[in-house]
Amino acid sequence: MSARFLKTAGLVGLSSLALIACTSNTPEAEKTTDTGATQAAAGGNDEPGTKVKIGFSAPAADHGWMGAITKATKDEAAKYKDVELVVAEGTNDVNQQISQVETFINQKVNAIVLLPFDGAALTAVATKAMDAGITVVNVDREFNSSFAARTTVLGDNHGMGVSAGTFVCKEMNGKKDAVIAEIAGIDSLPLTQARSTGFKEALADCGLKVNNRVAAEFTVESGEKAAANLLQAAPKIDAIWNHDDDQGVGVMAAIKNSGRKEFFVVGGAGSANVMRDIKAGNTLVKATVIYPSTQGADGVRLARLLVQKKSLGDLVEVEVPRTIQLYAPVVTKDNVDQYLPSAFES
């Protein structure tokens, strides 16, 4: 079995004694474990350890959510005295991002947190980094090889659709003739397809379906245009799910211009301005479904733990998991205060 596979699968690094540490906080347990495991058990993973140099690369911050990813990553790294974060300039040029990773490899960083513009296109260079002994944490857009990253942090696109559809079903309360509309993002993207599939499945569970659907491009301008087309084509609507709160700025502008108020809107991604509207109750938006902008920040934490050979203190498992998929909760007026502090500005 190759060393690369062992590292990729997470089978080397942590002491097996960490299992004891993760199950007990007693002094007796501390006597029988190594330092890293004891820190995990006692909630001490944040205590300074071996210096970790992390390279971070992501697409250009031309979208509120993407900007929040980069900001949260920088803010998280700044919390740790033992972390040095090297941030590459955001780019939507695949070749430039490949060059950024090549630079990280030449700089001999300990880890790379990488949100690829195109997961498939960045797979080869990420694998090269892993082969060079650098821990790669893949964020949001997956590589197409298991050898390209030690750990992957994902949002839940399918889960977003399920959460949105479940909320709509609950609000419709058995109304079988309800007219449901959907404003998707870029239809060619797997993430959009996954969101739509989850939404369709959840609606089917309560006997509903998507009656009218249009696609936008995750921008304000495209959201306004798509929503205007939708409103013109559908004289009656009971609920609209808009996949993305940034394009939702345009969606809500089109709705305002139409003067229509017979439906409610569910947002997507979880922007701060939408959450403030939900809290105030002054628009047609009743809820939004979160797609966390903490993924890069989580990547920094995980990269630090992996390089320092620590485990996740809240798990019995002695290794950091191969894949971590974040939840897609629904934010309503009842729980908005819980999520607003970590929301991004669109």
Side-chain angles (χ1 to χ4, degrees):
M1 187 176 293
S2 71
R4 180 173 75 177
F5 180 81
L6 287 169
K7 182 169 183 176
T8 303
L11 299 177
V12 295
L14 295 178
S15 165
S16 61
L17 292 176
L19 177 61
I20 301 173
C22 288
T23 57
S24 174
N25 288 335
T26 64
E28 290 76 18
E30 292 185 6
K31 292 177 183 177
T32 59
T33 61
D34 61 20
T35 302
T38 301
Q39 286 180 339
N45 272 346
D46 285 346
E47 294 298 320
T50 305
K51 188 80 173 180
V52 182
K53 187 174 183 178
I54 302 173
F56 173 69
S57 174
D62 53 6
H63 183 280
W65 181 87
M66 191 64 75
I69 280 277
T70 299
K71 182 180 185 303
T73 300
K74 292 178 180 178
D75 290 348
E76 193 62 33
K79 296 177 183 178
Y80 296 97
K81 295 180 180 179
D82 53 10
V83 170
E84 177 187 353
L85 186 69
V86 182
V87 181
E89 183 178 356
T91 179
N92 294 338
D93 184 324
V94 168
N95 291 325
Q96 184 177 345
Q97 194 171 31
I98 290 172
S99 295
Q100 291 174 348
V101 178
E102 294 275 10
T103 298
F104 291 150
I105 294 172
N106 293 334
Q107 291 174 338
K108 301 186 186 304
V109 298
N110 303 112
I112 297 172
V113 176
L114 182 58
L115 197 170
F117 181 75
D118 182 320
L122 271 291
T123 296
V125 73
T127 303
K128 181 178 179 180
M130 287 286 288
D131 285 344
I134 297 170
T135 299
V136 176
V137 179
N138 181 201
V139 175
D140 187 51
R141 302 172 185 177
E142 291 183 86
F143 302 132
N144 60 10
S145 169
S146 297
F147 294 120
R150 164 57 178 83
T151 292
T152 300
V153 184
L154 298 171
D156 189 356
N157 287 295
H158 182 269
M160 281 184 70
V162 171
S163 293
T166 301
F167 179 81
V168 169
C169 282
K170 182 179 178 182
E171 291 298 306
M172 290 299 98
N173 194 27
K175 184 179 179 180
K176 297 301 182 182
D177 61 345
V179 177
I180 312 301
E182 178 182 7
I183 303 176
I186 301 171
D187 258 343
S188 62
L189 295 179
L191 68 88
T192 297
Q193 297 161 18
R195 291 179 188 185
S196 288
T197 298
F199 189 54
K200 180 180 178 181
E201 290 173 356
L203 291 178
D205 193 56
C206 69
L208 297 177
K209 65 179 181 179
V210 176
N211 303 93
N212 300 90
R213 185 182 185 279
V214 293
E217 298 176 1
F218 294 128
T219 64
V220 173
E221 295 77 16
S222 67
E224 185 169 6
K225 181 178 179 180
N229 290 338
L230 172 70
L231 293 169
Q232 187 173 10
K236 178 183 180 298
I237 300 173
D238 290 289
I240 297 176
W241 180 42
N242 165 55
H243 284 209
D244 179 76
D245 286 340
D246 271 354
Q247 74 181 22
V249 174
V251 169
M252 296 310 294
I255 291 173
K256 183 178 180 180
N257 289 337
S258 75
R260 292 174 61 174
K261 297 180 179 180
E262 83 274 14
F263 49 79
F264 67 87
V265 177
V266 179
S271 74
N273 63 303
V274 166
M275 289 192 196
R276 287 190 287 265
D277 286 342
I278 291 170
K279 184 173 182 176
N282 57 4
T283 71
L284 296 177
V285 183
K286 274 195 174 184
T288 186
V289 184
I290 288 184
Y291 191 76
S293 59
T294 60
Q295 294 177 54
D298 290 330
V300 165
R301 282 201 177 194
L302 292 169
R304 177 178 174 271
L305 292 181
L306 287 163
V307 173
Q308 293 181 347
K309 303 188 186 326
K310 295 176 181 177
S311 60
L312 291 180
D314 290 335
L315 297 181
V316 175
E317 169 57 41
V318 300
E319 298 281 0
V320 170
R322 281 281 287 128
T323 302
I324 296 176
Q325 189 166 49
L326 306 180
Y327 185 50
V330 177
V331 178
T332 67
K333 196 168 186 176
D334 293 334
N335 63 4
V336 64
D337 287 333
Q338 178 184 347
Y339 296 102
L340 188 53
S342 61
F344 67 92
E345 296 289 344
S346 61

